[in-house]
Amino acid sequence: MKHKKPLIGVTPGLAGPSERREFSRTSNVLYCGADYVNRIHEAGGVPVLLTITDDSDSVAAMVAMMDGLLLTGGEDVHPAHYGQEPLMPEMVAMAERDRFEIELLKQFVVTEKPILAICRGHQVLNVALGGSLIQDIPSLNGITHHSRARRHRRRPIT
């Protein structure tokens, strides 16, 4: 009997229509960074890009099929999901993605299947489980999102 590779659901980013993109001037685009799927392949899994939906039954079907979940990075979760008003009116948030990922997590958590949350994924996981967030950390203590520290190249394990 062949060993079944685990199916890992990957949450997509969502970009609205843009005149700057030839392929999506009038429609939304779902996207995913290649590094996410490449790392899943390298670990022996099969990445499956999920589709954003408000249909709870469709979310349940996705959850049932997946062996694990990767919550990817992206824009901030809208503060309304954790009971706050936005501090910055220019905040970029994707309401459809927020609703989808929160519902996905609520259903996924009860399965006790593994979840890996990266960047925005941490925020969504926290909010879906009833937590709150600090909207603008730099205004509190000057810390910025991106480190200026030199990044080290990965070296093979010997």
Side-chain angles (χ1 to χ4, degrees):
M1 182 175 180
K2 280 185 150 182
H3 177 59
K4 178 186 169 241
K5 290 185 173 189
L7 297 178
I8 308 300
V10 179
T11 57
L14 175 64
S18 173
E19 288 295 319
R20 293 178 286 161
R21 287 190 301 266
E22 184 67 34
F23 62 91
S24 66
R25 288 187 177 174
T26 60
S27 64
N28 289 338
V29 174
L30 299 176
Y31 64 90
C32 176
D35 282 345
Y36 292 130
V37 296
N38 291 339
R39 299 298 87 80
I40 292 170
H41 278 297
E42 288 172 6
V46 177
V48 178
L49 189 64
L50 302 177
T51 56
I52 294 174
T53 179
D54 282 329
D55 180 51
S56 186
D57 290 338
S58 294
V59 173
M62 290 180 217
V63 170
M65 287 188 293
M66 297 304 116
D67 297 304
L69 178 64
L70 171 62
L71 289 165
T72 61
E75 62 283 324
D76 290 333
V77 178
H78 195 282
H81 293 293
Y82 48 95
Q84 295 180 17
E85 292 293 323
L87 295 176
M88 298 163 285
E90 70 279 2
M91 177 189 183
V92 175
M94 297 303 270
E96 302 95 331
R97 184 177 181 189
D98 287 351
R99 287 191 307 270
F100 167 69
E101 289 182 351
I102 290 169
E103 177 65 21
L104 178 69
L105 274 165
K106 286 179 178 178
Q107 291 192 34
F108 211 89
V109 164
V110 299
T111 69
E112 298 186 6
K113 295 176 188 177
I115 298 168
L116 175 61
I118 299 173
C119 199
R120 169 195 158 83
H122 290 140
Q123 294 180 30
V124 178
L125 182 59
N126 179 45
V127 169
L129 297 177
S132 64
L133 299 170
I134 297 170
Q135 290 183 48
D136 187 36
I137 292 174
S139 68
L140 293 177
N141 59 17
I143 295 174
T144 60
H145 179 74
H146 298 284
S147 171
R148 295 192 189 276
R150 183 174 171 230
R151 294 182 184 240
H152 299 284
R153 290 186 175 192
R154 284 192 282 168
R155 294 192 176 109
I157 298 172
T158 57

